[in-house]
Amino acid sequence: MKKILYGLLAAASVFFAVSCDDGGSSSNSGTGSSTTTNADGTTTLTIQEGGTGFVSSTGEVKTEFMGWTGSGYLDGLVDGGNVVYTVSAKAAITDAKIALHYCCTESSRIRGAYVSVNGTLLNDGKPFAMTYTFKGTKTDSTAETVAKRWVNTAYLENVSLNAGSNSIIITGAPAGTYTPVGGGESITIAEGNSGCLNYIDYLVVIGKEIDYGTDTTKYVTFSYASENETAGSVESSVTASNVAENTEVTLTAKPNTGWKFDCWSDGSKDATHKITVSSATYLFAHFIPENYTAPSGLVGYAAVTTDAGDGYTITGGAGASTANTVTISTYEALSSTYKDLLSSDEPKIITISGTISTAANENPLLSEKYDIGSNTTIYGDTTNQGRLKNIEFIVEGENVIIRNMMFGEVISWDGYAKSGADDALSLNGATHVWVDHCEFQSHLTPQDLDGNEITSGHSYYSTDSDWAKDFYDGLLDIKNGSTWITISNCYFHDHYKACLCASGDDEPKKNTTTNATDEDMRITFYHNHWENINARMPLFRYGTGHIYDCYFDAGTQSDTASCINVRAGSKLYIEGNNFVNFSKTTGSSVTNGTYIIGFFFADSSKKYGTVSGSWTAKNNSTPNSTFGSTVSKPAYSYTEPSSYPSTAPTDAGVGKLSASDLN
């Protein structure tokens, strides 16, 4: 029976933890790490961050929750991150055991950890289960609390180690349901916890005649894929999920019959592509139908895949089978018949016909959300206009086209039971998305789905001061490392907070598949009409944006409206736009006291809450200025506006495209 001794904090001294089989003696070996000789002749190594046997980590050492040993514990290990240790064996062995000493202080934060030895994933992808342990008071260092909070995972047994030095790499498991190490009940890792490895105290390794290794090779995560498995596949000279830093890898794109290779996600046009993997890397191959003609009218970041302007041919659901070319015209078809198709990554062309809402539900004002997968085209029917009310589409995949759709009236007020749907359309870690000729709107005064104003006496009415403006949340949110996006020819109107690019001032969020963060966001807003919007047209954080040939009319919000909010180190190139009816002149704007282009509403409690972005503005109605370092115009091809539109565009929004335009 294993005996676990837990670290205690006493008299300002930290005692390291030891995990033994059948008793034994232990000794220090470096900062915090320890060795134990067990009664059965094996050796137990506990390897601390910064101690002997520790090589590297992409996380940082924290000391927030008491009970850790050594210098603290590892945190901030998000997807694409890893911890690397080194262990040596006198001779090759096949019966070593490995465990992690960890804690999990939130029941909803189940995580999993993969183990690789010398780059090879072990245990057929079954991860360590890092389930809820205990939280308690963060500063409580009593033995009882520590014993509940910091525990060992089950042991991964029968691990093979080579004679000499071995690299042991720990990486986070992606979202999914797994049979964990040691068997027992399966664990489900939610999308928000994908790749997360936080709260690791130390690694435990047990084996015969083992010691700390000498191999200090750093490993980085590496993955590759076909963006569309129907269209083609990818072969690699390296199949490991972790590779030694600076490893050369050859990838080969293999199109299926009827398809051709277009590009790699890093812009290369060579079907056989050699790369040197020096950091966490995800590459996908993009295939297109052999006879495909790209839709006209697309400009901007959705048509490229690098800052140098290397082209990407967006296809959406082109090449979809007859079975995957469908029309959705009822709530039942959306919520049941075609829900799985919508979220799949198979090529699909979806036509939304008529209005689909939650009106017939028991609680009609309870919003709903639906996931949209990769390789998708969604059209609003040009005859019977497609419209979603109180329903959020969440795009989390790659290669998506959405045109001629109406989105809005998604109710998110926190004053009653909330489903989790917030925004009319959300691009959440999405890549290569084109949203074109769509309409986004709600109401400045809360209404039910029949268009009746919610006034005093209605069951959902509130006297809360923020109730009216928070009754609806965003119209369009682009966040969590969404990259290569174009929003064009759209009409945004009658809403308080329209469009958010990156979701918070705490830190740039990450796309858990591509490893892109909000700093990598690339978004073009072209020829859009904004009217009667109070704020966020858009609010931009971290990433890079291009806003041109747009018409901004504060309208009924002229006394209070703010327009383009440039925050948290973002970089915007703003040209050829018309700003009308903006009369607010007080506040914290850095653009001469107006609320048109600037850094508005700083929050000193947030890490990046008081950090402005930079912008270059030219050929606008007002203002035309550069703030911060000069922002360069994007490298892709487009017609630069020499002036701004004098009137609101008549060709923005829905109903401007014919059926032939959408084919």
Side-chain angles (χ1 to χ4, degrees), residues 136-150:
T137 304
K138 293 180 180 181
T139 56
D140 187 353
S141 62
T142 60
E144 180 182 9
T145 298
V146 169
K148 290 179 180 179
R149 181 183 292 151
W150 295 93

Side-chain angles (χ1 to χ4, degrees), residues 460-622:
Y460 291 125
Y461 180 77
S462 173
T463 57
D464 186 284
S465 59
D466 291 329
W467 172 71
K469 71 181 182 68
D470 290 338
F471 190 80
Y472 308 103
D473 195 353
L475 291 176
L476 173 63
D477 272 21
I478 305 172
K479 56 191 177 183
N480 295 337
S482 292
T483 52
W484 316 118
I485 311 296
T486 294
I487 312 298
S488 59
N489 304 297
C490 292
Y491 180 33
F492 298 83
H493 64 99
D494 296 288
H495 196 83
Y496 269 93
K497 298 172 289 186
C499 182
L500 189 65
C501 300
S503 56
D505 288 324
D506 291 320
E507 62 181 356
K509 300 300 192 298
K510 192 169 189 177
N511 179 326
T512 57
T513 299
T514 66
N515 297 316
T517 72
D518 286 335
E519 291 178 306
D520 300 307
M521 283 195 312
R522 300 292 184 267
I523 307 172
T524 299
F525 291 90
Y526 160 64
H527 198 64
N528 299 300
H529 180 195
W530 310 72
E531 185 176 29
N532 299 335
I533 303 289
N534 189 267
R536 302 182 183 179
M537 294 182 266
L539 190 163
F540 217 104
R541 296 179 175 98
Y542 309 114
T544 298
H546 183 202
I547 303 174
Y548 78 105
D549 194 36
C550 294
Y551 191 89
F552 298 88
D553 183 357
T556 61
Q557 303 300 294
S558 62
D559 290 340
T560 59
S562 62
C563 193
I564 302 173
N565 193 341
V566 195
R567 303 181 68 122
S570 57
K571 298 177 181 179
L572 296 185
Y573 196 75
I574 304 167
E575 59 176 333
N577 303 287
N578 196 355
F579 304 95
V580 300
N581 294 320
F582 287 85
S583 61
K584 185 171 183 177
T585 58
T586 60
S588 59
S589 170
V590 295
T591 56
N592 303 319
T594 68
Y595 261 51
I596 295 174
I597 303 172
F599 168 41
F600 315 127
F601 311 115
D603 185 348
S604 60
S605 68
K606 304 293 185 181
K607 184 176 181 179
Y608 295 98
T610 56
V611 179
S612 176
S614 303
W615 63 88
T616 294
K618 68 175 193 175
N619 295 330
N620 302 291
S621 62
T622 183

Side-chain angles (χ1 to χ4, degrees), residues 29-33 47-56 61 71 74 85:
S29 182
T31 307
S33 297
I47 306 178
Q48 294 277 2
E49 71 289 336
T52 305
F54 176 83
V55 176
S56 64
V61 178
S71 60
L74 291 172
Y85 305 90

